[in-house]
Amino acid sequence: MKWQYLLAKRIYKRKEEKKEISKPAIRIAMIGIAIGLAVMLVSVSIVLGFKHQVRDKIVGLGSDMTLTNLQGSGGEHLYQTEPLTISPALMATLQQLPEIAHIQRYVHKSGMIMTSEAFQGFMLKGVAQEYDWTFLKAHLLEGEIPLYTDSVASNKVLISRSLSDKLHLSLGDKIDTYYIEERVRIRRLEIAGIYQTAMPAFDDFFLITDLYTATRLQNWEAHQVGGIEIACTAPLNTDLDAVREAILPHISQHLSTPFLLSTVEETYPQIFAWLSVLDTNVWVILVLMIAVSGFTMISGLLIIILEHTQMIGLLKALGANNRSIRQVFLIMSVFVIGRGMLIGNAIALIFFFVQSQWKIFSLDPTIYYLEAVPISFGWGWYLLVNILAFCTSVLMLIAPSYLISRIHPARSIRFE
């Protein structure tokens, strides 16, 4: 195939003042390949970034799985009020399982904040001393995270920026919280920190305090909690349903009351359904961009073949068969596709760098849960998209290349 390669390279690099019909076609095909590939790479990167960052936020606010009391759970089991009796043996068993990275207890208590200007319903979340503060520390805007224990009331809370703005509250303010039961109970709490996660389902309702305070407000015993949040060892690469099946027998040994062990996908089905729709959008974009790039390349190849009719006829007269001549034009097309892909990769990589460094494309966090268009880069999917685009583009050119077999040597040599 050496002579085919050399001839294809000569056709690709030739410079003539006349017969420049194929040059614009080659440039258009190259631009189509470049834009199509750049759009595909950027689309995949953005969707993966959305899925990873939104999932990380949801897991950061809760966990991969949640263990709650089945009674009163319903569809909104995060807000249930029936307690679970958690023994030290159950906690020790869960912590030793290889599928589990971290566990943390919590208690929910609904209430209302009243100020001189406004009032707002909220959900008080009491967290134990083993709570993982990594996520909230990353989203803390003002103040600090108090030192919470399981045995002493801190009377301090973390509040979101959206709630503090609605109620005109600031760091250090003392707020009166009301809990309506048989009689109204009042608890004065001090704002120790203000956070913002850009997740309205959390920011618009939750105040964070110590487990002891929430347990007392629920009139529960010290060993009773609202639930346990369970973080898996490798959540992004693990089948949560399989992990659940593995740890369910260990939980059943220590809990006599009916319980519910739900995954994060079951807890927030609307968000994960939205993310799955994004996957469909990406496949549609990939198909459309490959089709547009491929048809642009096909039109360019046909123009090049027609422009080189005399050369094809001469090659046939010299003994070259149709297959060899097709290889010449397919190799030349590979040069065009390769250069277009290099340009497309450069455009995509520049976009990745600029967006990751300066966040020039912003989003409305109340709709998209993120403040800027996310970027996720991985060599696996990046190379896969490049290989898919290259192979598809080349395969689409095989059928048009058979036009060469219709060219007759005697007629083509006389053609001008």
Side-chain angles (χ1 to χ4, degrees):
M1 195 182 290
K2 185 176 181 180
W3 72 269
Q4 292 95 325
Y5 172 80
L6 293 175
L7 183 57
K9 187 175 181 181
R10 183 177 180 83
I11 296 173
Y12 175 70
K13 291 188 174 181
R14 74 184 179 90
K15 295 182 180 179
E16 296 183 11
E17 296 181 359
K18 299 179 181 180
K19 290 189 177 180
E20 291 291 330
I21 299 175
S22 63
K23 290 298 181 181
I26 291 176
R27 294 191 186 98
I28 293 173
M30 192 180 301
I31 293 172
I33 292 289
I35 294 176
L37 181 61
V39 170
M40 288 188 283
L41 292 173
V42 170
S43 300
V44 174
S45 175
I46 291 175
V47 168
L48 291 178
F50 262 112
K51 296 184 71 172
H52 291 172
Q53 292 194 25
V54 171
R55 191 187 192 285
D56 288 345
K57 278 196 173 187
I58 296 173
V59 172
L61 296 171
S63 205
D64 296 300
M65 290 187 288
T66 308
L67 177 65
T68 57
N69 193 318
L70 183 61
Q71 297 178 355
S73 294
E76 299 292 337
H77 65 272
L78 282 178
Y79 306 145
Q80 58 84 33
T81 56
E82 296 298 322
L84 274 178
T85 301
I86 303 299
S87 64
L90 174 59
M91 294 291 289
T93 299
L94 293 178
Q95 289 172 344
Q96 293 173 0
L97 295 177
E99 297 88 355
I100 296 178
H102 182 72
I103 59 174
Q104 53 196 29
R105 298 163 293 161
Y106 72 89
V107 172
H108 284 158
K109 178 65 178 179
S110 59
M112 181 177 294
I113 303 174
M114 294 189 66
T115 66
S116 58
E117 300 178 352
F119 65 92
Q120 175 72 39
F122 72 95
M123 183 66 65
L124 186 68
K125 182 176 182 178
V127 297
Q129 58 191 16
E130 71 270 10
Y131 190 80
D132 184 2
W133 293 103
T134 304
F135 179 80
L136 281 177
K137 282 182 178 179
H139 293 82
L140 191 67
L141 303 180
E142 299 180 45
E144 61 181 7
I145 295 177
L147 181 62
Y148 291 147
T149 67
D150 298 352
S151 56
V152 178
S154 65
N155 294 323
K156 293 184 178 182
V157 295
L158 301 177
I159 190 172
S160 70
R161 170 64 70 192
S162 57
L163 273 180
S164 62
D165 289 344
K166 287 179 183 179
L167 299 172
H168 308 290
L169 298 172
S170 303
L171 188 68
D173 288 352
K174 290 181 171 57
I175 55 176
D176 292 325
T177 58
Y178 297 82
Y179 308 91
I180 302 174
E181 300 171 353
E182 294 181 357
R183 59 185 180 87
V184 178
R185 303 176 64 183
I186 304 176
R187 178 64 62 93
R188 172 162 288 191
L189 303 172
E190 179 183 351
I191 299 177
I194 298 176
Y195 68 89
Q196 188 71 17
T197 69
M199 294 289 290
F202 192 89
D203 291 348
D204 292 345
F205 298 101
F206 279 89
L207 272 65
I208 311 296
T209 190
D210 58 89
L211 187 74
Y212 180 83
T213 297
T215 303
R216 291 288 300 275
L217 288 172
Q218 285 281 25
N219 294 317
W220 291 348
E221 301 294 331
H223 55 277
Q224 292 180 318
V225 298
I228 296 178
E229 294 171 339
I230 302 173
C232 296
T233 307
L236 290 178
N237 302 315
T238 301
D239 183 358
L240 293 182
D241 291 328
V243 174
R244 174 166 54 186
E245 294 301 320
I247 67 178
L248 273 175
H250 301 279
I251 298 175
S252 301
Q253 292 178 0
H254 298 278
L255 278 181
S256 57
T257 58
F259 64 88
L260 176 66
L261 183 61
S262 56
T263 64
V264 65
E265 289 88 352
E266 295 169 340
T267 305
Y268 300 96
Q270 300 88 348
I271 295 178
F272 283 93
W274 170 61
L275 293 178
S276 64
V277 171
L278 294 180
D279 291 338
T280 304
N281 294 341
V282 168
W283 281 109
V284 171
I285 292 173
L286 290 177
V287 172
L288 290 177
M289 289 299 100
I290 289 177
V292 171
S293 302
F295 285 116
T296 304
M297 195 65 217
I298 289 173
S299 63
L301 177 62
L302 293 176
I303 292 173
I304 294 169
I305 291 175
L306 293 175
E307 188 179 67
H308 291 81
T309 302
Q310 285 184 322
M311 187 195 74
I312 294 171
L314 181 60
L315 290 174
K316 287 187 176 183
L318 292 174
N321 56 33
N322 290 323
R323 180 179 180 183
S324 299
I325 300 174
R326 285 202 308 272
Q327 290 174 353
V328 171
F329 288 92
L330 288 175
I331 293 172
M332 192 275 296
S333 300
V334 168
F335 292 152
V336 178
I337 294 171
R339 188 171 180 181
M341 291 183 65
L342 287 176
I343 298 172
N345 277 281
I347 294 172
L349 291 175
I350 291 172
F351 175 83
F352 294 162
F353 177 77
V354 172
Q355 181 63 17
S356 61
Q357 293 296 320
W358 294 288
K359 312 292 184 185
I360 59 174
F361 295 100
S362 59
L363 296 173
D364 184 355
T366 61
I367 299 175
Y368 297 100
Y369 310 116
L370 300 174
E371 297 177 352
V373 173
I375 296 297
S376 177
F377 181 83
W379 284 112
W381 68 260
Y382 189 87
L383 294 176
L384 182 61
V385 172
N386 272 274
I387 294 171
L388 175 65
F390 177 80
C391 294
T392 306
S393 299
V394 173
L395 290 174
M396 290 180 70
L397 298 178
I398 293 177
S401 69
Y402 276 89
L403 176 64
I404 293 171
S405 63
R406 305 293 299 273
I407 298 175
H408 193 275
R411 290 195 297 267
S412 61
I413 292 174
R414 295 196 306 266
F415 175 77
E416 294 185 2

